Structure formats: C-alpha cells, structure tokens
Amino acid sequence: MIIKSRNLLSYLYLLIPLFLITGPAIPDIVITLGVLFGIFYIIYQKEYEKFIKLDLFRISIIFWLSLILISFFSYNKSNSFQDSLIFIRFLLIPFFCYFVFFKDKKLFERLLLVLFVIVVFVCIDTFYQFI
C-alpha cells in the first residue's frame, strides 16, 4: 500500500509543473498531500532521526520560528500568524521530496524532462500569442 501511494504521489509530483499552468489550487493540493504522505512515510520508515539531523532542516525551522516571532510585532497579528504558520509547508517540501520521491535517480530525470517539455511548450505558446 505504501509503495503504491508513493508511486502515485511521485507521478503527481512529476505533473506539478503542468498543474502550475492551470492555476495555484491543484499544485497546492498535490503538495499538501505529498507533505502529509512524506510525514507518514518518514515516521513509518523510521528515517526521522536522519531527517532531524540535517543542518538545512534546522536552519529552516529557525527561519520559520523567526517568522512567527516577527508576527508578534505586526499591525495585523492574526493575518501575520496565519501566513507564518502556513509557511512551514513550503519549508518542508524539499526535504520530503528528497527523502520520499527523489531517492530514485530515474524519477528525478523524468522530472527534469517534464520540466523541459513544459517550459518549451509555454515558451512556444507565449511566442505564438505575441505574434
């Protein structure tokens, strides 16, 4: 079950660049599901000790805590706290992508190919609309 879910979310992560063309809602849903699955996967595989020992993870958490601390000094505290709490999701995305999805080099190469194709498509479309 875990492997099938991992494969499904891996391919959804591959399609995020395509989903970005449609708008922000679908990529945000996929990223949120990926982060939730990543948390579950890291706990299930008992890799959380390796995850916590990463310096980049510690720096990201310190950055996130500083955003929360800065929220105490804002004029609109409720909006500022809400934005800083939601921001942790974007700090955790690279870590979960590394631990769950991008350990496989073949999958990473596919992601690069998908990114290249979509960038070329958007460039051609932009050029066509310009003409």
Side-chain angles (χ1 to χ4, degrees):
M1 177 70 176
I2 289 281
I3 301 300
K4 288 183 182 180
S5 299
R6 180 179 173 216
N7 289 338
L8 175 67
L9 284 172
S10 297
Y11 288 112
L12 283 176
Y13 262 65
L14 284 175
L15 294 175
I16 285 177
L18 179 66
F19 294 153
L20 283 171
I21 295 172
T22 64
I26 297 173
D28 282 346
I29 291 169
V30 170
I31 288 171
T32 303
L33 288 174
V35 168
L36 291 174
F37 177 77
I39 291 170
F40 176 73
Y41 183 81
I42 286 175
I43 292 171
Y44 183 76
Q45 296 292 331
K46 296 181 173 73
E47 292 186 1
Y48 46 86
E49 294 172 358
K50 194 183 336 177
F51 184 71
I52 292 173
K53 289 181 182 178
L54 288 174
D55 289 335
L56 189 59
F57 174 73
R58 292 179 183 168
I59 291 169
S60 296
I61 294 299
I62 290 170
F63 176 71
W64 180 65
L65 291 174
S66 70
L67 288 176
I68 292 176
L69 181 67
I70 290 171
S71 297
F72 283 113
F73 303 108
S74 70
Y75 290 113
N76 194 350
K77 288 182 177 42
S78 64
N79 284 344
S80 182
F81 277 115
Q82 181 182 8
D83 291 343
S84 63
L85 288 175
I86 291 173
F87 194 63
I88 188 129
R89 165 176 73 133
F90 295 110
L91 293 175
L92 296 177
I93 290 169
F95 301 111
F96 293 120
C97 287
Y98 170 74
F99 274 104
V100 178
F101 303 110
F102 297 128
K103 281 189 173 181
D104 183 15
K105 188 175 181 172
K106 188 183 259 187
L107 186 66
F108 186 70
E109 290 173 357
R110 287 180 187 164
L111 175 68
L112 290 178
L113 180 67
V114 168
L115 279 172
F116 177 73
V117 168
I118 289 176
V119 166
V120 167
F121 173 75
V122 170
C123 288
I124 291 172
D125 181 57
T126 304
F127 184 69
Y128 177 75
Q129 288 183 15
F130 178 74
I131 292 177

